[in-house]
Amino acid sequence: MNVNDARLTKYNPLSRVLCFDTFDTTTHGWTELLGNYDGSGDLDTVDDHMRDFRPPQLSSCSFFDVGTHGTMSGDYALKLATRPHPGHTATGIRRLTMAGRGLVRIETHFAFKAEATVGHEAPSSVGWDGNRHPSESQFGAFTVATDICADGGVRFHNVIRYQNTDLDGEMTQRWMYPVVPEPTPRDHVEGKFALPYAADFTAPDPADWRTFDEKLELCVNEVPTKINWHYLRWDIDTSTRSNVELQLNDRVMDMRDVPVPPYADRYDTLENLLNFYFSVRTHSGVRNFLFLDSVLISVEW
Amino acid sequence: MVRHDMRSTMTAVLERNTVVREDFATEPYELPWASEARFFVQALEADGVLEFHTEISPDGLHWCPLEDTAHHIDSPGLITWPVTGFGQWLRVRCSVAPGAAAKLRIYLVGKG
C-alpha cells in the first residue's frame, strides 16, 4: 500500500464522496462565514454578530516551545482562530448543494487548543499540577453544523457542539444541541432580534441549548502545544431532516432522538442548499484554535 | 502526493470596515506555505494620519518589525506593499495619530 493511501483509509466514507479536503493543497473551499449585506456592498449592514468570524488559515501547527508540530498526515492543517475576546467565534464554511436526499456523512480528524500564555497567566478554573494545565479550561467550544434548505424553502440546521467549558470557564465537557434555529439576517431585517458583537450566532440564548449523551473527556495532553488528532464522524439524513449518529474516537452516540428544528418561515434562493461549517468559540478571552487535518464529506444518493 | 505546478494564492480579510481611533495590530495570521505576501489597506474613511508597519513572529506570540519602512494613509484610498523573507506569522501594526480616525479594510494576500 502506498503510504499516501492513509489519507483516505483513516476515513469510512459512504458510497459517494463529494469532498475529500486535505489542506496541503489550498483551503479546498473552506472559507470565512460572513453575514448578509445590502445591494451596494455596504459591509456596515452586516449584523454585528456575523461580521468578524475570521478567515481560516493554513497552519503547520507551530508553537513557541517545540517549533513545527505538523499535522496527522501532512504539512498543513486548516486552522480556525478566534480573537482573544470572550464569546468570539471563528468559522470555516463549505458550500454545496444536494443532488439527492439521504444519508450524509462528514468526517474529520481534528485537534483543539487554547493559545499558550507565556510570561503571564490567564484566569483558569484548572491549576497546573504537572499533569493538568490551566489552558485546559481556557478552551470554550467547537461546533459542527449544517445549513440546509430544500423542498420549497424549508430550512433547517443539524448542529452538534462540544462544550468544553461553560461561559463561566467551568469544565463541562458535554455534547450539546440547540432547540431553536439560528437567527438569520432576514430575522434581523424583520426586527425579530439584534445581537451584539461576539453573541453566539448558532443560538444566542444559553437556555436554548440541551446536552446529550454522557460527559466525554477528550485528549488535551497536558499543555497547550501538544496536539492530538481526534476522529469525528457525524451522520445526518436529509430525506427525514434528522440526526442519525455521532462518533468521536471510540464513542458512538445515537442521535436519532436529537431534534432538528426547522425555521417557521420559508426561505428563497437556497434550493438544495447543503452547507457545512466548523466553528470555535472562546469563553475565556484566550484565543481558541480548531485544527482540521482533513475533511471528508460523503453521501448515499 | 500530487503536487501542482500552478502556484497557490490566498486572500484573507483581516479587518472588515473596522473603525480605528487608537493604535492596534491585526490578528496573527499564518502563511507557512507562502514565499511572498502583500498587504492591502483600504481606507473607506480617513481623518488624520495612520502609519502601518509589517511585523513578523516565529510563534504567533512575540513580534518584531520586518523592516524600517512605514506606510502612511491620511485620506480615503487603497495602499499596498509587498512582504518577503518572513517567518510564517504576519501582522500589520498601525499607529493612529492623536485625534485621527479611519474605517479600514485590511487584506493579506499570500502566494507560493
Side-chain angles (χ1 to χ4, degrees):
Chain A
M1 186 180 77
N2 186 312
V3 68
N4 291 323
D5 292 344
R7 290 167 180 262
L8 185 58
T9 58
K10 68 190 176 199
Y11 289 112
N12 185 28
L14 299 173
S15 61
R16 188 182 307 279
V17 172
L18 292 185
C19 309
F20 181 33
D21 303 323
T22 57
F23 299 109
D24 281 354
T25 52
T26 81
T27 46
H28 279 246
W30 290 93
T31 187
E32 180 179 356
L33 174 61
L34 179 68
N36 299 344
Y37 48 85
D38 73 2
S40 66
D42 180 2
L43 299 184
D44 290 346
T45 60
V46 175
D47 291 348
D48 281 341
H49 74 294
M50 297 190 77
R51 63 177 168 78
D52 189 31
F53 288 145
R54 313 306 305 159
Q57 313 174 40
L58 294 174
S59 171
S60 61
C61 308
S62 295
F63 300 104
F64 82 98
D65 51 353
V66 296
T68 296
H69 193 301
T71 67
M72 184 172 176
S73 322
D75 293 332
Y76 304 121
L78 191 78
K79 173 186 171 183
L80 307 179
T82 72
R83 286 188 191 267
H85 179 99
H88 184 268
T89 300
T91 66
I93 189 165
R94 189 86 155 89
R95 298 192 169 103
L96 308 170
T97 53
M98 296 186 284
R101 301 285 185 277
L103 274 183
V104 177
R105 172 171 293 177
I106 182 166
E107 296 171 273
T108 187
H109 287 268
F110 71 93
F112 66 101
K113 281 294 178 183
E115 185 172 54
T117 55
V118 180
H120 66 284
E121 197 160 336
S124 170
S125 61
V126 171
W128 186 61
D129 65 2
N131 167 218
R132 299 190 68 182
H133 189 277
S135 66
E136 182 183 345
S137 73
Q138 291 160 356
F139 185 88
F142 67 83
T143 302
V144 192
T146 62
D147 184 3
I148 301 174
C149 187
D151 308 317
V154 178
R155 188 175 183 184
F156 59 98
H157 294 163
N158 298 69
V159 177
I160 54 166
R161 169 173 293 180
Y162 182 78
Q163 188 198 56
N164 183 58
T165 58
D166 62 21
L167 292 168
D168 296 323
E170 298 296 327
M171 300 294 297
T172 51
Q173 299 176 299
R174 293 298 302 264
W175 287 104
M176 306 186 88
Y177 64 92
V179 293
V180 295
E182 180 182 307
T184 68
R186 193 179 77 179
D187 291 335
H188 186 189
V189 169
E190 292 175 348
K192 295 176 181 173
F193 73 89
L195 295 171
Y197 183 82
D200 180 357
F201 80 97
T202 302
D205 186 347
D208 287 332
W209 289 86
R210 303 284 184 276
T211 60
F212 72 97
D213 203 71
E214 302 299 317
K215 184 174 177 176
L216 180 63
E217 184 175 292
L218 304 184
C219 182
V220 174
N221 199 352
E222 303 182 311
V223 298
T225 58
K226 296 177 181 174
I227 56 174
N228 291 71
W229 300 97
H230 295 71
Y231 174 67
L232 182 147
R233 171 183 63 85
W234 183 31
D235 294 352
I236 64 174
D237 190 331
T238 58
S239 65
T240 54
R241 303 184 197 125
S242 57
N243 292 303
V244 179
E245 198 169 81
L246 177 66
Q247 179 176 351
L248 194 293
N249 284 345
D250 58 349
R251 177 83 69 91
V252 177
M253 293 154 274
D254 189 337
M255 290 191 69
R256 288 169 182 81
D257 293 331
V258 172
V260 181
Y263 288 87
D265 303 320
R266 301 283 169 124
Y267 276 76
D268 299 324
T269 86
L270 302 175
E271 193 61 22
N272 280 310
L273 181 79
L274 179 62
N275 286 354
F276 294 90
Y277 70 79
F278 290 90
S279 71
V280 55
R281 187 169 193 236
T282 180
H283 297 161
S284 63
V286 174
R287 285 188 189 89
N288 280 187
F289 304 139
L290 184 68
F291 300 94
L292 305 176
D293 168 81
S294 46
V295 181
L296 194 152
I297 299 169
S298 58
V299 300
E300 205 66 71
W301 64 52
Chain B
M1 185 193 315
V2 176
R3 288 288 190 188
H4 298 279
D5 292 333
M6 187 176 286
R7 299 171 80 190
S8 287
T9 184
M10 184 172 168
T11 298
V13 184
L14 299 182
E15 296 292 341
R16 184 180 288 110
N17 286 29
T18 304
V19 174
V20 298
R21 295 187 176 84
E22 55 190 28
D23 298 354
F24 72 98
T26 56
E27 285 292 295
Y29 197 85
E30 286 192 62
L31 282 173
W33 54 274
S35 57
E36 58 181 277
R38 180 172 282 278
F39 279 111
F40 291 91
V41 174
Q42 182 177 8
L44 303 167
E45 302 166 5
D47 181 11
V49 178
L50 282 73
E51 182 176 282
F52 300 91
H53 285 272
T54 303
E55 293 193 336
I56 60 175
S57 169
D59 55 15
L61 298 172
H62 305 97
W63 297 87
C64 61
L66 177 62
E67 55 195 7
D68 293 333
T69 309
H71 309 274
H72 298 87
I73 201 163
D74 60 5
S75 60
L78 183 64
I79 63 171
T80 182
W81 63 93
V83 186
T84 55
F86 51 92
Q88 67 193 51
W89 268 277
L90 281 165
R91 72 177 185 182
V92 59
R93 173 166 288 285
C94 176
S95 300
V96 181
K103 181 190 286 184
L104 303 176
R105 281 181 212 149
I106 300 179
Y107 299 84
L108 175 59
V109 180
K111 190 182 292 183

